[in-house]
Amino acid sequence: MAGYAVGHLHDVAAGPAIVEYLERIDATLEPYGGRFLIHGARPDVREGDWSGDLILIEFPDLDSARAWYDSPAYREIIPLRAENSRGAILLIDGAGDDHRATDVLA
């Protein structure tokens, strides 16, 4: 089952540090099979309020997502993002192909 890294960022200071982060992150994803599914798109908000940027990175599984986040290459560039934005970053399992909404009731 796929694993995901999700970022919900606010107040991104789009200066040299963020540019460097963006230039370096793809190389950190490659060894772990990570790929961007959402990055930089503006949402069409249908209900509620939304602010910030949503980033969704898919990995083959949650262990790969954890290995990427904990890798020396990614840990090295985290400050470039963290010191120039605020927000939440999380790692989470995806739903399997046979998942149904009622499965969460079990």
Side-chain angles (χ1 to χ4, degrees), residues 12-52:
V12 178
I18 291 295
V19 170
E20 182 180 348
Y21 176 85
L22 293 172
E23 290 173 343
R24 295 175 62 184
I25 190 171
D26 289 321
T28 71
L29 295 170
E30 190 173 321
Y32 303 95
R35 67 184 187 104
F36 286 101
L37 295 181
I38 300 172
H39 191 227
R42 294 289 161 217
D44 177 5
V45 179
R46 299 297 177 107
E47 296 182 31
D49 298 317
W50 179 262
S51 66

Side-chain angles (χ1 to χ4, degrees), residues 21-91:
Y21 176 85
L22 293 172
E23 290 173 343
R24 295 175 62 184
I25 190 171
D26 289 321
T28 71
L29 295 170
E30 190 173 321
Y32 303 95
R35 67 184 187 104
F36 286 101
L37 295 181
I38 300 172
H39 191 227
R42 294 289 161 217
D44 177 5
V45 179
R46 299 297 177 107
E47 296 182 31
D49 298 317
W50 179 262
S51 66
D53 298 300
L54 181 67
I55 299 94
L56 179 61
I57 304 170
E58 181 182 50
F59 292 88
D61 50 50
L62 187 55
D63 287 340
S64 296
R66 288 179 176 137
W68 162 73
Y69 189 86
D70 294 333
S71 70
Y74 187 64
R75 302 298 292 177
E76 184 177 303
I77 67 171
I78 287 175
L80 297 170
R81 173 190 44 76
E83 294 171 7
N84 293 282
S85 65
R86 63 181 185 83
I89 306 295
L90 57 107
L91 305 178

